[in-house]
Amino acid sequence: MDYNILIGGEAGQGMDTLSAILERTLKRNGFEIFSTKDYMSRIRGGHNFIQIRFGDKKLYSHKESLDVIIALNAESVNLHIDRLVENGTIVINTGSDINDHRLLEIPMKEIAGEIGNAKIAGSVALGTVLKLFNIKRDKVNSVFDKVFKKQDIVEINMKAFEKGYGLVGGKYEVNGMNDDDKIMINGNEAVAVGAIAAGCKFYSAYPMTPSTSIMNYMAAKMNKIEMVVEQAEDEIAAINMAIGASYAGARAMTGTSGGGFSLMVEGLGLSSMMELPLVIAEVQRPGPATGLPTRTEQGDLKFVINASQGDFPRMVIALKNPEDAFYQTVRAFNMADKYRIPVILLSDQFLADYVTTYKPFDFSGIENERYMDNNKSFKKGEKTYKPYELTPSGISPRIIPGSIEGFTVLVDSDEHDETGHIVESGRLRVKMNDKRMKKAELLEEDIQEPEFFGSKDFEVLYVAWGSTFGPLKEAVNNLNRRGGKKYGALIFGDIWPLPKKEIVEKAKKACTLVNVEQNATGQLASVIREQTGIICTKSILKYDGRPFSPEYIIERSKTL
Amino acid sequence: MSGCGFETYETAWCPGCGNFGILAALKNALEKLQKKPHEVLVVGGIGQAAKTPQYINTNGFCGLHGRAVPPAAAAKIVNRDLTVIVNTGDGDTYGEGGNHLIHNIRRNIDITHFVHDNQIYGLTKGQASPTTAEGHVTTVQALGSKMLPLNPLLLSLVLGAGFVARGSSGDVKLLTEIMEQAIIYKGYAIVDILQPCVSFNKVNTYKWYKERVYRIGSDYDFENMDAAINKASEWGDRIPLGIIYKKERPVYSDKLDFLKKGKALVYRGLNPQKIQGLLSDFM
Ligand SMILES: Cc1ncc(C[n+]2csc(CCOP(=O)(O)OP(=O)(O)O)c2C)c(N)n1
Ligand code: SF4
Ligand SMILES: [Mg+2]
């Protein structure tokens, strides 16, 4: 069982509320959910749509074929009717001039008017749609409570819902309805919750779609968690503030999209030069410049790997899905502290905003290891403290400035000696550069190999990264079920330093190596080639700002 | 002078540079306030002035050009036990870092900002800074600076700064007093400090300043904004030294209850197992 509902309309028509309620009601009935938003960069008007896919098995992606269109205007029908299945339904207000046998006109506006509030028309449609799917209505009230909070608003919406529910009979079969034990979360929320769980105490950022909702979630928790979320005056301030907080000993993070990251680049190098841990979420949107602000792309991979002057260690983790985003964010803080380096979490608008269901994340296994040396050898008088002490590992001791009398911490963006004082000696420069790069070697040992899925006897091997995980997973499953050629896929999460073992082994076995990426130039393929000499002979690239769907990958696979 | 141990490395400043007077006053002020080295954080950007953290035995952060204030502000937010002082140049503060100055005056975090204002870019060998006079000829401003000089005191006042002062490296005694007051002041305190650059500013020399500066009298009411605006506007033949404006204002941390209670934020742990409840937001 696997259904797909589209809600379409203009910005400002209440689609957000309607979809939030529909999603949550379906989730509370025990279904798996995968919901995506397609928004234009405007507050009113335009065409926006939300697709809510639900089923009884784990869903990894959105899909293109539609079972129901809830059309808040006629345009929504025209734009999406091609994707509606033969047995589909178009739910629309009475009086449209559309001629299609799948049309189900309901007087949602009239009912809303009778009850006395135009805004509740969506709840009428909600009732109708739930009835079409034979879904019990007992969960709806509590969802309204959660979304609307005010009792009078809940009541009129319930009234509208009941009217809608009574308008039609059941049409679709569902199974797998049971007690709900899942969470439903998007990529940005998962990053935010992960950072909080990691003990992040300072988040500074400048608003930029599609990264802003990370900040929104944390800001709502400031008091409860006792963390500071600060809107900086610009991205340069944002990253330099986070570095200052990190210097002072707090776990600190910033987040932005490509444009803001461009402004942060000097700060990125600063964090590495000063050897101060830092976590940066870079949530990609299509560029260059302002690009497509509310759309998706994986166009910043080579940028974040190479950003800033000079050679220095950094880690880049591409996030694959919200669950991965949570656990990897926690890990990013530990890696940043362990190696005293910047760690970049690379996400994108698709992953930032799609909502899907998981078992609740497991906090019991989280260990926040600070790698601080405050309690070790630096008691007063025992030893001198050097923030850049040359050690065999390249990792120097770290203390909280101000925490031990008699010890001070000097950090420097200029090349420096072990005490943090500026030097220009060529010999010391080489030592310090080697010290920093030594950490990059160690880091390689902590790197996670890409995840493999598909047929073990693959002839075609896909390589992809980050959020392409979901659509590709469904595409590969589907292709293998059809028989014929066998497909496998390697999805990179840790992407810098590039883990090489799996790709080198698997590439030997593959007849065709195909990079599947949401950009125009095949940036992962280029990194793989640079790092391993392996060449992807074919590619599936997409850069129209809309995410891959499994169907799209399958279609393109046919023409490889 | 090294009683509290603020002495450290030899400096790389030119002999006769105004920075020496400022560094001396800073050490004096910290000693008078009985601060210990580990309790103080001195932050600089990049420039001659910004090297101050190199030459004083406290915690130090030599960051990026123009970016001294953001890390200083954040360090104070997470560790209110630190006395956080920014020492940096006029180019650093008013040029490259102008946006941070504007918004950190608004943010009003309890940090102190000493601007070594030599009216020139020293480290890069003498180009015009935002406070360089109109017509001042440099290697780059070969036909004379075409821009109006910025008045940092007026700017700070209109942005709502609660502590605005001017000092001079030529009057270390007064500068020490001003610095003490600025450090004690609860909120963002900015002190613009006249500092001759003997190598690259041949206009604003010791002599040039000496002929013009005067100490503001004890009858001056530094809580009066109108008076402050007038005082801050004085420039040219007569240049006032002293506290121009001082008034208590709520600081950043007054607006966040959790920051005030308990230990400084940096010393507060978090048990991840105790916040699993956050997931109810997603149920
Ligand atoms: C991003 C960046 N741009 C330019 C520079 C070069 N630079 C270093 S110091 C400086 C100006 C210094 O002037 P000021 O801040 O007044 O300090 P002073 O040397 O006069 O004390 C410049 C332009 C730099 N280090 N970083
Ligand atoms: S160049 Fe000017 S500011 Fe720099 S040390 Fe020399 S005199 Fe001082
Ligand atoms: Mg200067």
Side-chain angles (χ1 to χ4, degrees), chain A residues 24 27 146 184 217 221 226-227 230-231 233-234 236 241 248 274 361 363 402 408-409 411-413 422, chain B residues 36 38 54 59-60 62-63 67 74 99-100 107 252 258 265-266 268 272-273 276 280-283:
Chain A
R24 201 160 296 273
K27 177 194 113 57
K146 182 163 180 126
M184 188 170 67
Y217 185 81
K221 304 291 164 194
E226 301 192 343
M227 75 175 286
E230 185 64 12
Q231 180 175 325
E233 53 272 21
D234 54 38
I236 301 175
M241 287 184 95
M274 288 189 154
F361 301 149
F363 285 54
T408 54
V409 184
V411 294
D412 208 309
S413 77
I422 299 180
Chain B
K36 293 181 182 145
H38 76 286
Q54 296 282 319
N59 292 298
C62 289
R67 318 299 168 200
N99 204 28
H100 311 311
R107 206 171 260 129
Y252 180 92
F258 70 85
L265 197 57
V266 69
R268 289 183 220 173
Q273 284 77 50
Q276 179 123 25
S280 65
D281 290 345
F282 309 102
M283 294 288 192

Side-chain angles (χ1 to χ4, degrees), chain B:
Chain B
M1 199 178 70
S2 57
C4 283
F6 292 109
E7 286 300 297
T8 171
Y9 279 51
E10 201 184 316
T11 76
W13 288 323
C14 311
C17 172
N19 280 325
F20 289 107
I22 300 175
L23 182 63
L26 178 61
K27 287 177 181 173
N28 288 344
L30 290 174
E31 278 178 24
K32 286 204 173 151
L33 294 170
Q34 300 189 330
K35 296 282 175 194
K36 293 181 182 145
H38 76 286
E39 296 168 338
V40 180
L41 167 62
V42 180
V43 181
I46 292 293
Q48 298 286 28
K51 285 182 186 160
T52 306
Q54 296 282 319
Y55 306 140
I56 184 164
N57 179 31
T58 60
N59 292 298
F61 185 108
C62 289
L64 296 172
H65 184 51
R67 318 299 168 200
V69 179
K76 182 70 185 184
I77 291 173
V78 301
N79 188 356
R80 56 156 196 251
D81 300 343
L82 290 172
T83 296
V84 179
I85 298 169
V86 177
N87 276 77
T88 207
D90 46 328
D92 224 349
T93 304
Y94 307 131
E96 189 96 14
N99 204 28
H100 311 311
L101 176 75
I102 292 173
H103 297 287
N104 279 291
I105 289 176
R106 295 178 50 230
R107 206 171 260 129
N108 201 28
I109 291 165
D110 183 16
I111 62 177
T112 310
H113 192 164
F114 297 134
V115 186
H116 304 211
D117 187 355
N118 54 9
Q119 299 183 253
I120 209 80
Y121 282 6
L123 189 63
T124 46
K125 300 189 191 303
Q127 304 79 17
S129 87
T131 51
T132 300
E134 210 176 344
H136 187 138
V137 174
T138 77
T139 45
V140 171
Q141 285 69 32
L143 304 177
S145 171
K146 293 180 286 299
M147 286 165 83
L148 281 179
L150 178 137
N151 182 327
L153 303 184
L154 270 181
L155 176 71
S156 301
L157 284 173
V158 300
L159 288 168
F163 187 107
V164 179
R166 180 184 284 121
S168 166
S169 64
D171 188 344
V172 174
K173 186 163 177 296
L174 177 67
L175 183 57
T176 303
E177 284 167 29
I178 295 172
M179 282 183 163
E180 274 180 73
Q181 292 293 315
I183 293 168
I184 294 170
Y185 175 78
K186 188 167 171 249
Y188 192 87
I190 180 163
V191 185
D192 186 72
I193 304 168
L194 307 175
Q195 175 236 323
C197 167
V198 295
S199 299
F200 296 109
N201 189 337
K202 304 294 185 192
V203 177
N204 308 103
T205 59
Y206 277 101
K207 183 163 172 287
W208 190 92
Y209 288 119
K210 197 158 186 202
E211 285 165 3
R212 290 166 171 78
V213 296
Y214 72 96
R215 287 187 179 188
I216 296 171
S218 55
D219 55 340
Y220 174 76
D221 176 11
F222 52 63
E223 289 206 359
N224 181 330
M225 179 57 91
D226 289 339
I229 298 270
N230 283 330
K231 248 326 152 213
S233 306
E234 280 183 42
W235 183 263
D237 292 342
R238 297 210 359 116
I239 303 174
L241 300 181
I243 296 172
I244 304 277
Y245 186 70
K246 181 176 159 187
K247 201 162 198 171
E248 292 293 318
R249 270 181 56 196
V251 297
Y252 180 92
S253 57
D254 288 339
K255 295 162 194 165
L256 291 176
D257 270 342
F258 70 85
L259 270 186
K260 288 185 291 181
K261 288 183 300 197
K263 293 186 274 192
L265 197 57
V266 69
Y267 297 119
R268 289 183 220 173
L270 174 122
N271 180 348
Q273 284 77 50
K274 286 210 173 131
I275 54 158
Q276 179 123 25
L278 285 180
L279 293 182
S280 65
D281 290 345
F282 309 102
M283 294 288 192

